[in-house]
Amino acid sequence: PNRRMEVLSRGGIESRISWIFEEVGGGTDLTVKTEYKLPIPVLGKLAEGFIVKQNEQESLLLLSNLKARMEVPETAAQG
């Protein structure tokens, strides 16, 4: 808890992904922030919309999968 991790990507589409873990009431909140620079002159506005939507969908799937793996169901926690 209370840690931050950043992943930087250079080349192609430059990006920075920040993973922020915060302790909250016996658990952990995770906030993921994604920043990226699209080479718009190369890709164009049409591609930009597609890439933004694709990144949003992938982020939601990643967070959903992470939550499913990290949370312990009540019945399993009781033993």
Side-chain angles (χ1 to χ4, degrees):
N2 298 325
R3 297 200 185 252
R4 177 185 185 114
M5 177 177 70
E6 287 192 348
V7 178
L8 300 175
S9 173
R10 295 196 171 91
I13 298 174
E14 294 183 14
S15 66
R16 173 187 305 230
I17 303 172
S18 302
W19 300 72
I20 303 160
F21 301 85
E22 299 175 280
E23 186 174 349
V24 176
T28 303
D29 258 359
L30 170 62
T31 302
V32 179
K33 295 182 181 180
T34 305
E35 302 170 31
Y36 48 89
K37 295 179 186 175
L38 298 175
I40 298 302
V42 175
L43 294 175
K45 285 290 185 182
L46 183 61
E48 178 184 8
F50 173 78
I51 291 170
V52 168
K53 184 122 180 118
Q54 187 70 28
N55 282 343
E56 287 174 358
Q57 291 173 348
E58 288 180 12
S59 294
L60 290 174
L61 179 61
L62 179 139
L63 291 173
S64 176
N65 287 340
L66 182 60
K67 181 176 180 171
R69 290 178 181 255
M70 298 303 292
E71 289 186 345
V72 178
E74 293 259 345
T75 54
Q78 295 172 357

